[in-house]
C-alpha cells in the first residue's frame, strides 16, 4: 500500500471510529483487512492476474479472491508463501488485549 492509500484509509478509519460499533469491528477484522490490502496491492502493482499470483503462491484462485475480500481462513503456510511471492515478510505477534492496535 502506498502512502496516499494509507492516508486515505487512516482518514476514513479515524472518521468512522465515532460510529457505534465500528471501532470494535475494525479491530476484530484488522488482520483480514491487512491481508486483503496486501493481496490487492500485489495484484495491482505486480501486474499479475489472480491465476498467476495464486499459482506462484501455491494457493487456489478462490482462496486468493476470498483473501482479497477480507474473507476466508488462509493457513499460516499459505500466508507465508503469499508474502514471499509479493516480496514481503509475514509478521505475526501476540499483544496484550489492552494494547492499542498499530495502523
Amino acid at each position: 500500500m502506498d502512502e496516499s492509500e494509507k492516508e486515505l484509509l487512516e482518514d476514513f478509519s479515524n472518521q468512522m471510529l465515532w460510529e457505534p460499533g465500528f471501532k470494535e469491528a475494525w479491530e476484530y477484522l484488522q488482520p483480514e483487512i491487512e491481508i486483503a490490502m496486501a493481496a490487492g496491492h500485489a495484484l495491482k502493482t505486480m501486474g499479475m492476474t489472480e491465476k498467476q499470483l495464486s499459482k506462484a503462491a501455491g494457493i487456489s484462485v478462490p482462496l486468493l479472491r476470498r483473501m482479497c475480500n477480507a474473507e476466508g481462513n488462509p493457513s499460516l503456510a499459505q500466508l507465508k508463501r503469499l508474502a514471499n511471492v509479493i516480496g514481503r515478510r509475514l509478521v505475526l505477534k501476540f499483544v496484550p488485549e489492552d494494547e492499542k492496535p498499530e495502523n
Side-chain angles (χ1 to χ4, degrees):
M1 173 182 331
D2 64 27
E3 286 303 312
S4 64
E5 291 171 322
K6 284 182 182 179
E7 287 176 18
L8 181 63
L9 182 60
E10 187 175 327
D11 288 345
F12 173 75
S13 61
N14 286 336
Q15 290 174 5
M16 292 301 296
L17 287 176
W18 297 104
E19 293 292 322
F22 179 82
K23 182 179 179 184
E24 293 79 13
W26 177 263
E27 289 174 358
Y28 181 77
L29 292 173
Q30 190 165 3
E32 289 86 349
I33 293 168
E34 288 190 31
I35 293 166
M37 290 170 33
H41 182 71
L43 286 169
K44 181 179 169 184
T45 60
M46 295 178 74
M48 297 175 85
T49 65
E50 289 177 336
K51 186 175 182 178
Q52 292 168 326
L53 181 56
S54 63
K55 183 175 181 179
I59 60 177
S60 69
V61 172
L63 175 60
L64 179 61
R65 287 181 182 153
R66 288 192 304 272
M67 290 168 66
C68 287
N69 290 321
E71 299 171 350
N73 191 14
S75 71
L76 188 55
Q78 291 166 326
L79 291 172
K80 285 179 181 179
R81 289 195 305 266
L82 178 63
N84 185 39
V85 168
I86 65 175
R88 301 285 187 219
R89 185 172 53 95
L90 179 65
V91 177
L92 174 70
K93 58 184 175 178
F94 292 88
V95 296
E97 281 288 329
D98 59 350
E99 185 174 312
K100 183 179 178 182
E102 296 177 13
N103 290 348

